[in-house]
Amino acid sequence: MRGERLDAYWFHEREWESYDALQDAFEWTVPERFNLADYVCDRWADDVDGDRVALYAASDEDGHDETVTYADLADYTNRLAGYLASRGVERGDRVGVHAPQTPETAIAHIAVWKLGAVSVPLSTLFGTEGLRYRLADSGAVACVSYGEHVETLREVRPETAIETVVTVDADPEGDEHEFWAAIDAATPVDGAVDTAAEEDAIVIYTSGTTGDPKGVRHAHRVLLGDLPVFLTSFCNLDLRDDDVLWTPSEWAWVATLFDVVFPGLFYGKPVVAYDGGPFDPETAFDIVERYDVSLFFAPPTALRMMVQADPSAYDLSSVRVVPSGGESLGESIVEWAETTFEGAAVHEAYGQTEANMLVGDCTALTEFREGTIGPAGPGHEVAVLDPETRDPLGPGEVGEIAVRYEDDPVCFVEYLGKPEATRGKVRDGWLLTEDLGEMDADGYVTFLGRTDGVIISAGYRIGPVEIEEALATHPAVANAGVIGVPDDERGEVPKAFVVLADGVEGSDDLVTALRDHVRGRLAKYEYPRAVEFVDGLPTTETGKLRRASLEEREGLR
Ligand code: ATP
Ligand code: MG
């Protein structure tokens, strides 16, 4: 049946004795025929649930600017699908979604899926080269674009295969069409085409931390793969009738789309869309208060900015869980968030574009262990492998974090057009995360850095993240990035780029103090031998530290 309940993904409704019991009992259910649009939209659009709110479009003023019910969502997506079909978009074609946090973004993805076509989320932060690369690489034939960002699309369009441009909040030019006018005029389709769970639904690009971003092909089943950690870590095993989800991150990344927006819609909950430009901590507090946001997914960078703002004027008591991830969170932020959101559970989760949300805290059933990213989510077989033999290592041994590839719906199909890269990524039945970690005897995973970022110094393996985090605990330090630089004696040594806190001046004494500080916290051999004070650190579009740029700066790339 289309859009059926799928009992396996409602395990939060049962009582569990322990996390182990839940992990043992969980089994993947992946129907052979499965189209995402049936599950995140049409199944809630009947007479019983149709009036539920699917999306709140938040405004800068008080109150709900606009709401989209599930019945509306089904209607708009049928119509947009009809319009795209009339423009020749076919099953398997790729369609760019180049729009910020707005209802139109969700509508566009779902409409594309209804045709059996493949959506390609594109950040509005991309400049011309970022957009051109992804549109050309994905071979997209159509693109939905928003406001001022349409200009960027117009500039790069001649170098792409784009035949259809749909504009939102921007006057169409030439052969372009306006989104809502297209919806009004279209002959609607009758729901989603019948697709296999294995058919492509989406191509998402990796962040490009290490090199060119790679297009990651995900099948319709991917959402099912994300639901267990959504329930354990993002909801802490509790979903309520009045839950409201929001993330300040753009709806262009795997974590926002598949851990917030589409799981929210899968469970028939409302998701807040707010298109407010660059992140502003005060506005974030305000949105949480106004919409009674209860599940608030915020990346560490956003939380770090919120720490600087004053939350006292806001009522943040609606927040129940603050999941975070994408990069290391750090203890001080956990403490701050627990206090600020009045006892909310702060959970770190871990995943990547190729296999999202594998591991995460679930304090309803597990204890919080400082420094770890929690245990593997139900259904995922996560291990730490010996880098040479690819055999699973024992507790406390450092190796590469990996997940069993076969039969785990969260795993990607392959990289688009990069068979070599896929072969390097999936080996001996494991999807290799290219991240280093260790697992304790109870299965809690500690993230230690990326395999490529590991510094091997006089035979010691040193994770840059540990040093960065240790530096960040020093009061003189605002932020730090660490890379390995060549050294005659030790092969490689860690070098730290340090952004100082406001009002602090760099000096030789401070360098010594910072080195001693890290050495005291980590290990005698584990401290930055070189320290350079900088004004800022290079980051990716998602705000992650880009160590590759620091290496370029040092002439190492
Ligand atoms: P590219 O693959 O193009 O180099 P990327 O790996 O940064 O870029 P993403 O797939 O967006 O692109 O990011 C996933 C990576 O983010 C993980 O492999 C890991 O290195 C890091 N990460 C995710 N969650 C966490 C976390 N909780 N703590 C630390 N790092 C994390
Ligand atoms: Mg990666």
Side-chain angles (χ1 to χ4, degrees), residues 32-55:
E32 214 269 308
R33 313 300 299 177
F34 181 84
N35 186 300
L36 276 171
D38 289 328
Y39 290 81
V40 300
C41 175
D42 287 5
R43 70 163 164 176
W44 300 113
D46 59 17
D47 294 345
V48 183
D49 297 300
D51 292 339
R52 288 184 190 218
V53 174
L55 299 163

Side-chain angles (χ1 to χ4, degrees), residues 206 214 352 354 425 433-434 450:
T206 59
K214 296 178 282 284
Q352 55 182 212
E354 299 87 337
K425 185 79 178 171
T433 61
E434 299 161 83
R450 302 166 65 109

Side-chain angles (χ1 to χ4, degrees), residues 205-214 253-254 300 324-329 348-354 357 373 415 425 433-435 447 449-450 452 465 469 540 542 544:
Y205 282 82
T206 59
S207 297
T209 305
T210 47
D212 274 347
K214 296 178 282 284
W253 313 106
V254 72
S324 191
E327 61 176 329
S328 292
L329 190 55
E348 183 160 353
Y350 163 86
Q352 55 182 212
T353 312
E354 299 87 337
M357 292 308 123
I373 47 177
Y415 290 121
K425 185 79 178 171
T433 61
E434 299 161 83
D435 289 324
F447 173 87
R450 302 166 65 109
D452 48 33
V465 175
E469 286 182 351
T540 62
T542 39
K544 284 196 216 184

Side-chain angles (χ1 to χ4, degrees), residues 205-401:
Y205 282 82
T206 59
S207 297
T209 305
T210 47
D212 274 347
K214 296 178 282 284
V216 174
R217 287 177 51 198
H218 276 294
H220 281 266
R221 50 144 159 108
V222 65
L223 177 65
L224 300 176
D226 281 306
L227 295 177
V229 175
F230 174 75
L231 290 177
T232 56
S233 207
F234 281 57
C235 306
N236 209 17
L237 279 181
D238 183 11
L239 253 180
R240 300 184 187 171
D241 286 347
D242 58 356
D243 271 329
V244 177
L245 295 91
W246 184 53
T247 174
S249 287
E250 227 190 348
W251 291 0
W253 313 106
V254 72
T256 47
L257 292 172
F258 286 95
D259 301 322
V260 180
V261 182
F262 295 119
L265 299 180
F266 180 92
Y267 290 106
K269 302 294 173 200
V271 182
V272 178
Y274 176 70
D275 168 30
F279 180 74
D280 170 58
E282 302 272 346
T283 312
F285 289 129
D286 182 47
I287 298 229
V288 167
E289 178 181 85
R290 273 198 286 140
Y291 293 88
D292 288 323
V293 173
S294 53
L295 306 172
F296 175 55
F297 170 60
T301 23
L303 292 173
R304 278 197 287 266
M305 286 170 79
M306 291 174 93
V307 172
Q308 311 290 324
D310 176 11
S312 59
Y314 304 94
D315 176 1
L316 305 172
S317 57
S318 56
V319 178
R320 216 169 62 242
V321 194
V322 182
S324 191
E327 61 176 329
S328 292
L329 190 55
E331 297 160 43
S332 54
I333 297 186
V334 174
E335 276 162 35
W336 169 85
E338 276 170 356
T339 318
T340 307
F341 296 105
E342 302 174 38
V346 181
H347 288 169
E348 183 160 353
Y350 163 86
Q352 55 182 212
T353 312
E354 299 87 337
N356 190 37
M357 292 308 123
L358 299 171
V359 172
D361 294 310
C362 172
T363 48
L365 286 180
T366 64
E367 60 180 293
F368 187 78
R369 289 197 188 168
E370 215 171 275
T372 75
I373 47 177
H380 304 298
E381 187 184 341
V382 172
V384 171
L385 303 183
D386 182 307
E388 309 282 302
T389 63
R390 276 184 217 104
D391 290 325
L393 293 168
E397 292 184 294
V398 176
E400 183 167 3
I401 304 172

